[in-house]
Amino acid sequence: ARRQGRGACLRIYEPELGDYASDRIHIEENLRKALKLGAFECHLQPKVRLENRRWFGAEALVRWRIGDTWIAPSRFIPIAEDSGLIKDLGRWVLWEAASRIAIWRREGLIGKDFRVAVNLAGAQIESELSRTVRAVLGYTQLPSRALMLEITETVIMQNPQETRKVIDELRGFGVGFALDDFGTGYTSMSQLQSLAIDEIKIDQSFVRALPDDPNSEAIVRSLITLGNGLKLDVIAEGIETEVQCAALMKLGCRLGQGFLFSKALPFDSFERALAEQREADAAHENGARFGG
Ligand code: C2E
Ligand code: MG
Ligand code: MG
Ligand code: MG
């Protein structure tokens, strides 16, 4: 019923339109309740070094559970943005991720250089953000160096001046910044050079097409060259296959994220995986010491 041709757009009483609007209001109302009731979960997806698959960091990805079903961020984040709820939700994700990483750091489960990344929506870019971030770091005792914030090119474009101000302020404080979904937006070379960011994330749409699509390969190659040239970390998103991983390594990419390594995990599963890695490392070290 959706594909009815152009005329359909003008029919205001189209049932789908009504459904869409009420779906939206419905989600917005439920978002509010969910925040109060604690129906969100913060999951973590590892960021890995491609050469040895070691987890050097993680990205926090919010999950919304209603009963047995999960609602995808793509369905509720835009609504949370429009309604302003993203500020509360974003603060909650930041708090969850930072406090958990701080605990694991204290327990020695992760090293001092392990960084957690939290996504930022456009509506969060304002002077209040820097106060919020500092308050969370203060309460959780997480050092600012252990936190990264991910912003997209679209977010920067929406409000370049304010974004620059917020980045400069937080970066002066030690927080890192990553440019998310890189390659899909319109960041100019001069902008990229003057923005104080630490990492670019090659969008998964390019990674998905590797290695068969020569155009994607050319784009990925130039993004890696660009990032390396500007002394930025370059991480490839959405790596699903060994073939993609090998192609990226051949192009000089050293960092990655994707289902090949792990999807985003609840804290307890993430913690178990960290503990297993630590045991494997210890066994390996002992083997090296005693095995000659
Ligand atoms: P993103 O920041 O670019 O996050 C990467 C998305 O790719 C995540 O989807 C992740 O689950 C997915 N992904 C990771 N590896 C693979 C892979 O190998 N294959 C495929 N097909 N997908 C992979 P997710 O969790 O559904 O999040 C979608 C987007 O929603 C995120 O894109 C981000 O823009 C937004 N988002 C998620 N959590 C938050 C949040 O806490 N705050 C804000 N502001 N935005 C969030
Ligand atoms: Mg991200
Ligand atoms: Mg991304
Ligand atoms: Mg994205």
Side-chain angles (χ1 to χ4, degrees):
R2 283 203 160 217
R3 304 239 163 266
Q4 284 187 1
R6 300 213 147 239
C9 302
L10 297 173
R11 271 194 270 146
I12 296 168
Y13 297 108
E14 187 70 27
E16 277 90 3
L17 270 180
D19 286 344
Y20 174 73
S22 68
D23 187 40
R24 213 184 153 81
I25 290 165
H26 187 68
I27 289 183
E28 192 175 321
E29 267 172 19
N30 283 305
L31 272 174
R32 262 176 234 284
K33 283 188 205 143
L35 253 178
K36 277 204 198 109
L37 297 173
F40 289 102
E41 268 184 41
C42 176
H43 287 197
L44 295 170
Q45 185 180 35
K47 293 185 171 187
V48 312
R49 286 189 206 291
L50 298 183
E51 56 166 357
N52 54 14
R53 312 267 162 118
R54 294 284 302 262
W55 297 10
F56 71 92
E59 174 175 7
L61 294 162
V62 70
R63 300 285 178 259
W64 182 11
R65 193 218 299 262
I66 299 181
D68 286 338
T69 42
W70 292 97
I71 303 186
S74 57
R75 259 190 86 200
F76 65 85
I77 293 278
I79 298 175
E81 281 196 64
D82 289 351
S83 62
L85 276 170
I86 192 71
K87 284 188 207 168
D88 291 332
L89 183 58
R91 199 183 302 122
W92 180 82
V93 173
L94 179 64
W95 172 263
E96 280 291 294
S99 47
R100 178 57 52 154
I101 294 298
I103 291 169
W104 289 341
R105 246 176 150 253
R106 283 196 285 274
E107 290 175 347
L109 208 54
I110 49 176
K112 296 268 179 273
D113 48 2
F114 193 100
R115 288 180 129 187
V116 66
V118 174
N119 291 284
L120 285 185
Q124 291 176 269
I125 306 286
E126 50 170 27
S127 52
E128 191 193 304
L129 177 71
S130 140
R131 275 197 299 278
T132 304
V133 170
R134 278 184 290 180
V136 169
L137 293 176
Y139 275 113
T140 59
Q141 292 286 295
L142 185 73
S144 49
R145 303 234 154 267
L147 178 68
M148 301 263 304
L149 297 171
E150 298 194 359
I151 49 173
T152 61
E153 296 175 83
T154 318
V155 165
I156 295 175
M157 271 203 340
Q158 280 165 5
N159 198 346
Q161 274 172 317
E162 191 66 24
T163 311
R164 186 175 298 270
K165 232 178 75 186
V166 167
I167 293 181
D168 287 346
E169 205 174 314
L170 281 166
R171 206 156 177 273
F173 194 66
V175 175
F177 278 86
L179 195 48
D180 207 349
D181 304 347
F182 189 61
T184 60
Y186 299 93
T187 311
S188 71
M189 299 299 144
S190 62
Q191 263 176 320
L192 192 61
Q193 191 201 20
S194 67
L195 276 173
I197 55 163
D198 306 85
E199 177 184 286
I200 55 178
K201 305 190 75 175
I202 299 177
D203 189 66
Q204 52 189 66
S205 57
F206 304 117
V207 173
R208 194 174 304 136
L210 290 179
D212 299 325
D213 175 23
N215 291 336
S216 291
E217 189 179 297
I219 291 171
V220 169
R221 179 182 287 117
S222 55
L223 293 178
I224 293 168
T225 308
L226 179 65
N228 287 341
L230 293 173
K231 303 250 181 329
L232 305 172
D233 284 336
V234 179
I235 183 163
E237 290 191 275
I239 305 175
E240 292 184 353
T241 67
E242 291 290 350
V243 178
Q244 289 165 349
C245 184
L248 283 158
M249 288 178 77
K250 217 171 122 198
L251 292 170
C253 186
R254 288 188 286 270
L255 310 173
Q257 216 179 325
F259 295 167
L260 175 62
F261 315 113
S262 172
K263 61 179 181 135
L265 301 170
F267 288 160
D268 55 350
S269 311
F270 198 93
E271 183 174 328
R272 264 198 304 279
L274 285 175
E276 274 166 25
Q277 277 179 28
R278 210 173 51 158
E279 274 166 36
D281 284 349
H284 185 258
E285 240 173 59
N286 282 336
R289 201 174 304 143
F290 298 120

